[in-house]
Amino acid sequence: MELWIPITIAAAFMQNLRSALQKHLQGRLGTRGASFVRFGYGFPIAILYVLCLHHLGGYSFPNLNWSFALWSVVGGLAQIFATMMLVYLFSLRNFAVGTAYSKTEPVQAAIFGFVLLGEKLSPGSVAAIIVGVIGVMLISMAKLPLSWRNLLVALTGRTALIGIASGAVFGVSAVAYRSAALSLEGPGPVMQAAVTLACVTSFQTMFMLVWMFWKDKTEIFEVLRSWRSSSLVGLAGVLGSAGWFTAMALQQVAYVRALGQIELVFTFMASYFLFHERVNRLELCGCLLILCGILGVIFS
């Protein structure tokens, strides 16, 4: 088994854990505060990770360049706004459906990867990704009676548009992060990914602190007050991001994000066991299609 596969599965699990914790925080901190904790409590761990790789793992520091800085800023800003859309989505629909809408990302990431990086996919992989996205659409319609009108609502309604936009912006951030890591041409994908993660999360923390200070200073105090639960979000977030960054330094973004749809399996478990949200047969069918798409990506 190629290394990027278990790394991606672990990253998907940590991302689901982070999203579940953020859903709990959203009611207390609001959309901006619940989004900030992912970066604000995560960047010290990301910096520590780089130092451990250097001093204990023997990796040298890569040389930073302007291309790296540009892609890091683009990816960092895209991830901030995509995260805020996703956290806001949780207040409109339940946890599982909110996450499902954002999982249209693999198709959009494949398009951005082709346009920006010239990355191509095999026909089998394209088919597998489409199967996974059909599964996502089934999940998004699961609570509605089957009809053309409801299909139109599921694809073009406010919730759908926010979710699909979130997936698109996540796709942009993923391609930007891969570009940033590859532009370092450093001592290996692990260190390149770690340095990218540390720089991006530090930038995101500074950007959001300035934004929150400008918009509503009380949000900063609320984030500090909830440091116990917020630090867990930061830890889960940075561990998940380390996995994503490393996997995307090893493999094309579309493949990594397609396999990352396994997060929805973890999401349904969290939705059922943590939030006591009911799961129906159509949602289970959608989940099975996503799993088929994931297996198709792996074997293709």
Side-chain angles (χ1 to χ4, degrees):
M1 181 183 292
E2 295 183 44
L3 183 60
W4 70 273
I5 294 175
I7 290 176
T8 300
I9 293 172
F13 176 80
M14 296 307 299
Q15 178 165 300
N16 180 71
L17 176 61
R18 186 213 71 220
S19 294
L21 292 169
Q22 278 180 308
K23 178 177 170 68
H24 273 299
L25 284 174
Q26 202 247 358
R28 280 188 291 161
L29 302 181
T31 300
R32 197 164 33 232
S35 302
F36 168 77
V37 296
R38 169 183 183 174
F39 315 114
Y41 285 92
F43 87 92
I45 304 169
I47 293 173
L48 181 62
Y49 177 44
V50 171
L51 294 176
C52 287
L53 286 176
H54 177 65
H55 293 291
L56 302 180
Y59 289 93
S60 60
F61 291 115
N63 294 319
L64 305 185
N65 54 67
W66 286 111
S67 176
F68 169 80
L70 174 63
W71 284 117
S72 296
V73 169
V74 170
L77 292 176
Q79 190 179 33
I80 286 173
F81 292 112
T83 300
M84 291 183 67
M85 283 189 278
L86 181 60
V87 172
Y88 176 65
L89 203 58
F90 292 153
S91 66
L92 301 179
R93 294 293 298 270
N94 69 28
F95 179 65
V97 176
T99 303
Y101 272 118
S102 69
K103 290 303 165 188
T104 55
E105 179 192 351
V107 170
Q108 301 180 79
I111 295 170
F112 292 131
F114 174 74
V115 172
L116 298 176
L117 303 178
E119 297 178 339
K120 298 179 181 179
L121 305 177
S122 69
S125 298
V126 172
I129 290 172
I130 291 172
V131 168
V133 172
I134 291 172
V136 169
M137 291 297 99
L138 278 180
I139 291 170
S140 69
M141 288 188 61
K143 303 296 184 184
L144 302 172
L146 286 177
S147 69
W148 286 109
R149 183 177 179 278
N150 286 335
L151 176 61
L152 188 64
V153 170
L155 294 176
T156 61
R158 181 188 179 197
T159 304
L161 293 177
I162 293 173
I164 292 169
S166 172
V169 183
F170 271 127
V172 171
S173 73
V175 172
Y177 290 153
R178 175 169 167 79
S179 301
L182 294 179
S183 71
L184 290 176
E185 300 178 353
V190 174
M191 189 60 166
Q192 289 169 236
V195 170
T196 304
L197 174 62
C199 291
V200 166
T201 51
S202 298
F203 162 73
Q204 289 169 323
T205 299
M206 289 187 291
F207 177 86
M208 289 209 72
L209 274 175
V210 172
W211 188 13
M212 291 164 68
F213 186 82
W214 176 48
K215 286 289 187 180
D216 188 356
K217 301 180 184 65
T218 59
E219 286 183 321
I220 299 174
F221 296 109
E222 289 298 324
V223 166
L224 292 173
R225 232 180 251 122
S226 64
W227 68 269
R228 288 184 179 84
S229 50
S230 295
S231 59
L232 291 177
V233 173
L235 177 61
V238 79
L239 290 176
S241 294
W244 290 124
F245 281 42
T246 304
M248 288 187 292
L250 293 168
Q251 183 55 273
Q252 291 184 32
V253 173
Y255 290 129
V256 173
R257 289 310 201 186
L259 177 57
Q261 285 182 324
I262 198 172
E263 181 192 350
L264 275 175
V265 178
F266 303 138
T267 296
F268 274 105
M269 294 172 65
S271 183
Y272 183 80
F273 291 110
L274 296 180
F275 303 117
H276 307 293
E277 297 169 346
R278 297 180 64 184
V279 178
N280 63 27
R281 292 179 182 177
L282 202 57
E283 287 172 325
L284 290 176
C285 288
C287 204
L288 287 175
L289 281 177
I290 289 169
L291 284 174
C292 290
I294 288 168
L295 291 174
V297 168
I298 292 173
F299 288 113
S300 67

